[in-house]
Amino acid sequence: MIQPDVRTVELDRISRERLRSAGLDYRRVDPSDEAGFDGFIRAVARGFIEDEPAERVVAGSRPGQVGRRMIGVYDETSPQAELPVATVGSWIAPLTVPGGELPMWAVSEVTVAPTHRRRGIARAMLEGELRAAASAGVPMAGLTASEATIYGRYGFGPATWHARWTVDTRRAGWAGAEPSGSLQYLDREATAEALGRLHERTRHARIGEIAGWPVRWRQLSGAKPGEPHGEGVRGVRYLDAAGEMRGAMVFRIAGSEADWARSRLEIRHLIGETAEARAALWRFALQHDLVGTVAAGSRPVDEPLPWLLADARAATRTVEDHGWLRILDLPAVLAVRRLAAPLDIVLRVADPLGFADGAWRVESAADGTCRAVSAGGAPGTPGTTGAEADIEIGVAELSSLYLGGVAARSLAEAGRLRGDACAVAQLDAALRIDEEPFLSIMY
Ligand SMILES: CC(C)(COP(=O)(O)OP(=O)(O)OC[C@H]1O[C@@H](n2cnc3c(N)ncnc32)[C@H](O)[C@@H]1OP(=O)(O)O)[C@@H](O)C(=O)NCCC(=O)NCCS
């Protein structure tokens, strides 16, 4: 597919009219307009309850916005005319899915000023972005959410989960192999570069990952100006026995006032191209002198960490939803979806925004992927009926199932879909994947 330039995709007219009738101006931010760009970045920082960004911090955000769509909602009565009361940013990111890759309309920087909350501004922006994405032919939208209660209403469903580990290093010990390679410290810029390179080499192999971008890596490595605690961040890389870089990690150590020898090491990001590299980086963290606790967020839920420890109970894990997806074009997303078993069912999809609504015959194709054809109810026409459905499902739940990270049976048990047990089992067998889907970055 030829990818559209998100910056020139038209602003949604319905949302513009809706906001205009509330006295608000919904418009694109021109990055070459210094005051407009500055206002957008400051409004995003305010929305995410961060400090007012200094000029160098605003300037440091600029490279991350190149090629992206930035939209502000302006209240003309505000004494700060250049500061939007709401923001949204988007771009197209390749998403790794079972069977290949899909262009995904990534939605980010969703903020509404507390002075203007709960009057439908976020709804107008979200629906506007979804209609813009669909009009540009992008089949899927995605985001990461500050709260799990915000986005289901727009048809987004959680599709990847991540784990947070906390390890008591005094108890943990080590049961893994001795790594055959070596570790080296890197400076912050070199660490950012290493993380970017390794992510690009590994993201195609992990369902749920999206492409990264340089500012994200500079943020994680502490190289981005104004990054909170940036100066405390350190980076190491792992070289295999042949001297090839196979992994990198960024971390920060917070000293303990009560006992210096029990400081806390927080892993900000860890990438390993091989199991050996991942284990070596964990081992480095767990055996670090003066550290009593190692914590790491955003790790795959199937990471074998307890198996690397002499005492598996030294590690505790919490799991949370992370990457959310929203199907916009059902035939297009299923056309690349590799299936693990044959499938032939009729789905009745409820999509209040219309994009995937209708009855669909979903069947395996000869090439191992899947085909969805309308089975009566016209797609994009909410409320239409079609052939007798085997499963009735909302678009948010279908989006959760798409990568294979949750079983249809679980959703059925929770009353989140209705269907014949055989059809549900058939769907689960077809969507089964070998590894948990995982998204390592937040956006
Ligand atoms: C989340 C946020 C963008 C919502 O903006 P808003 O303009 O107040 O939202 P809207 O008025 O358009 O609300 C639309 C619907 O979402 C609901 N909603 C909004 N924020 C919600 C929240 N945090 N939790 C649960 N529901 C929420 C509203 O009740 C409303 O529900 P309804 O249409 O079913 O009646 C805003 O509160 C915000 O900026 N929060 C801080 C930054 C943030 O977390 N952004 C999200 C980044 S992923």
Side-chain angles (χ1 to χ4, degrees), residues 158-163 299-301 319-323 400 405-406 437-439:
T160 72
W161 286 259
H162 62 182
R299 300 301 307 154
V301 294
V319 173
E320 207 171 72
D321 59 273
H322 185 45
S400 285
V406 60
F438 174 61
L439 168 68

Side-chain angles (χ1 to χ4, degrees), residues 47-48 110-112 116-123 144-147 149-151 153-154:
F48 287 118
V110 177
T111 71
V112 173
H116 288 65
R117 72 195 281 278
R118 307 301 183 265
R119 14 175 136 160
I121 299 178
R123 177 177 287 280
T144 56
S146 58
E147 295 183 84
T149 45
I150 302 175
Y151 295 107
R153 58 177 48 79
Y154 310 114

Side-chain angles (χ1 to χ4, degrees), residues 188 191-192 195 217 220-222 233-236 248-252 265-271:
R188 292 191 185 101
T191 307
L195 293 175
W217 308 123
L220 286 165
S221 75
V233 179
R234 300 193 186 278
V236 288
M249 176 172 77
V250 274
F251 62 96
R252 193 175 85 85
L265 187 154
E266 178 81 34
I267 296 176
R268 288 162 70 92
H269 202 76
L270 184 163
I271 313 183

Side-chain angles (χ1 to χ4, degrees), residues 329-379:
D329 181 337
L330 187 60
V333 302
L334 290 182
V336 299
R337 178 57 162 92
R338 191 189 56 234
L339 299 183
L343 182 65
D344 186 3
I345 55 174
V346 174
L347 292 181
R348 166 102 18 82
V349 182
D351 182 351
L353 294 176
F355 305 112
D357 202 79
W360 301 89
R361 167 156 237 118
V362 178
E363 56 190 9
S364 9
D367 64 358
T369 63
C370 188
R371 193 168 52 206
V373 286
S374 176

